[in-house]
Amino acid sequence: MLAANLEEVEQRIKAAALRAGRNPEDITLIAVSKTKPVEMIQEIYDCGIREFGENKVQEICTKSEILPKDINWHMIGHLQRNKVKQVIDKACLIHSVDSLRLADEISSQAVKKGIEVDILLEVNIANEATKYGFMKEEVFDAVDYIRELPGITIRGLMTSAPFVANSEDNREYFHDLKQLCVDLRAKNIDNSTIEFLSMGMTNDYEVAIEEGATHVRVGTAIFGEREYSI
Ligand SMILES: *Cc1c(COP(=O)(O)O)cnc(C)c1O
């Protein structure tokens, strides 16, 4: 059953890419497995998926112990500075860098471990009071600051668009994030590392792809609804 869900998501990704004149292979599907048991993750792994997303450091640590080592774990949730040390050598990409202090901490821990950590800057693209992330206007200064730090590489931008009934309502936000990425690249002509756009979830990944997403983070459409009761 999970295989059928995955198949449908993959078909829709492909169709959305083709509608936008894009190569479907340029879009990475991250299966968001937060709260889901390792058995379900293994099932999706067996279908060929290697990119999985989690929003808690603890879950990445436990699951990566048990599951196959060739899984790429994406940290997509708000990251506390005191947990950076545990996660930087387990996640392939931290999508949720939402403050300069967090970037500082990632940098110093990366230097200590002698590694390079790839990150995305989280942008609060719709100015929502409840969301983490840099405001659009803050992103240029944040990039200028973070790109000077050792041990950390900005690979792009990430956003979680508002929860809306009609995904078309988020098109403008995805468009804005894409434009921001283009502007950053134009400004930092030497900094071609800014190329990823992580945007689009179960409710809006097709619109996000039409607007330029390179990474979509899809949970519910693959694994089903989450239970938070435990
Ligand atoms: C949970 C989560 C997702 C996946 O959400 P779905 O609606 O289940 O697809 C994507 N991104 C982030 C940051 C999340 O926390």
Side-chain angles (χ1 to χ4, degrees):
M1 180 204 133
L2 292 191
N5 291 349
L6 177 64
E7 174 77 28
E8 159 136 16
V9 170
E10 287 179 324
Q11 287 303 325
R12 285 172 178 268
I13 288 173
K14 194 171 168 193
L18 295 176
R19 271 198 303 280
R22 301 182 58 198
N23 182 350
E25 312 220 319
D26 293 342
I27 292 132
T28 301
L29 168 62
I30 299 169
V32 176
S33 48
K34 63 191 187 198
T35 79
K36 297 298 179 183
V38 290
E39 293 75 19
M40 288 176 93
I41 300 175
Q42 183 70 50
E43 209 174 319
I44 291 299
Y45 176 93
D46 291 339
C47 298
I49 296 295
R50 294 295 177 268
E51 315 296 316
F52 289 89
E54 292 284 347
N55 67 341
K56 294 213 162 65
V57 169
Q58 191 52 54
E59 268 185 271
I60 293 192
C61 292
T62 2
K63 289 173 174 175
S64 63
E65 266 301 300
I66 305 168
L67 284 156
K69 298 300 170 220
D70 62 344
I71 287 180
N72 296 318
W73 295 99
H74 294 254
M75 176 60 193
I76 63 173
H78 177 62
L79 177 56
Q80 287 166 294
R81 282 179 302 145
N82 62 3
K83 304 228 169 107
V84 164
K85 204 188 315 185
Q86 295 171 59
V87 82
I88 48 168
D89 53 359
K90 297 187 183 72
C92 66
L93 184 63
I94 299 173
H95 292 231
S96 42
V97 174
D98 53 14
S99 73
L100 300 182
R101 290 167 78 209
L102 176 60
D104 277 333
E105 178 64 12
I106 292 171
S107 168
S108 70
Q109 294 297 337
V111 169
K112 268 190 204 155
K113 292 199 187 196
I115 58 176
E116 270 295 322
V117 178
D118 282 347
I119 63 137
L120 305 180
L121 293 190
E122 180 167 357
V123 183
N124 185 351
I125 199 75
N127 296 319
E128 291 176 278
T130 55
K131 291 244 170 94
Y132 290 106
F134 293 96
M135 293 298 153
K136 205 162 78 176
E137 306 72 37
E138 297 171 331
V139 172
F140 285 90
D141 286 348
V143 168
D144 283 344
Y145 178 84
I146 296 170
R147 59 204 288 260
E148 300 301 327
L149 299 176
I152 184 168
T153 306
I154 307 173
R155 302 299 308 276
L157 305 175
M158 175 271 213
T159 201
S160 295
F163 188 79
V164 289
N166 180 357
S167 60
E168 281 298 327
D169 294 345
N170 281 337
R171 187 178 293 278
E172 60 170 315
Y173 297 124
F174 296 137
H175 186 82
D176 282 357
L177 197 72
K178 167 77 187 188
Q179 191 56 48
L180 191 55
C181 190
V182 170
D183 293 347
L184 279 170
R185 286 177 64 92
K187 183 167 170 265
N188 299 311
I189 217 83
D190 55 321
N191 192 348
S192 55
T193 65
I194 300 180
E195 59 197 350
F196 294 161
L197 271 183
S198 169
M199 57 187 194
M201 316 186 354
T202 290
N203 284 321
D204 53 22
Y205 66 92
E206 292 161 280
V207 174
I209 289 168
E210 288 169 10
E211 295 300 328
T214 63
H215 292 68
V216 291
R217 312 179 307 268
V218 180
T220 309
I222 297 172
F223 293 105
E225 296 288 341
R226 286 177 292 274
E227 278 226 32
Y228 285 106
S229 52
I230 323 160

